[in-house]
Amino acid sequence: KYPLEKRKIIFITARVHAAEVSGSFKAEGMLSFLASEESLAVHLRDLYVFKLVPMLNPEGVLAGNFRSSLVGTDLNRRWDSPDEVLHPQIYFLKNYMKMLVAAGREICVFCDLHGHTRKN
């Protein structure tokens, strides 16, 4: 078991696209597993710190948007240079991650959960 401050960080985000409801189910399943007493879950918690953002675009979800935020932008296309006012979800998450790295923490995984449907 590693000390908490020495553990690598795994970020998991979901619902950046409001209509991808299955992303919420995936995030819920991951959280339920990671919080369980399953031996693998316990082992993973001993090795890593998990940071889960289950709904990265709650305003878009509430408004019933399909892929966009309240300002009509696809937040997944704003990671390079998010605006603090127009894309606060991405702006603050990205800055939080930068702050962790600057403090000497290692982010080893960033997993953005999506949900797509196809006929074929």
Side-chain angles (χ1 to χ4, degrees), residues 98-114:
K98 285 180 180 179
M99 181 191 75
L100 290 169
V101 170
R105 301 301 300 273
E106 181 180 346
I107 299 170
C108 63
V109 173
F110 182 88
C111 178
D112 185 22
L113 302 174
H114 287 264

Side-chain angles (χ1 to χ4, degrees), residues 31-107:
L31 181 59
S32 293
F33 170 73
L34 290 169
S36 76
E37 291 305 315
E38 293 277 338
S39 61
L40 179 57
V42 171
H43 182 66
L44 288 170
R45 291 195 311 266
D46 286 343
L47 296 176
Y48 303 99
V49 171
F50 291 88
K51 302 211 178 258
L52 177 64
V53 182
M55 192 174 293
L56 195 53
N57 183 9
E59 296 86 0
V61 171
L62 183 63
N65 294 349
F66 188 74
R67 291 181 62 90
S68 64
S69 65
L70 281 182
V71 297
T73 59
D74 182 344
L75 294 174
N76 237 18
R77 302 293 179 257
R78 300 296 179 232
W79 282 97
D80 283 343
S81 56
D83 183 273
E84 182 178 0
V85 174
L86 297 176
H87 324 110
Q89 309 89 324
I90 304 302
Y91 179 87
F92 286 105
L93 179 59
K94 185 174 179 179
N95 280 303
Y96 177 56
M97 294 169 70
K98 285 180 180 179
M99 181 191 75
L100 290 169
V101 170
R105 301 301 300 273
E106 181 180 346
I107 299 170

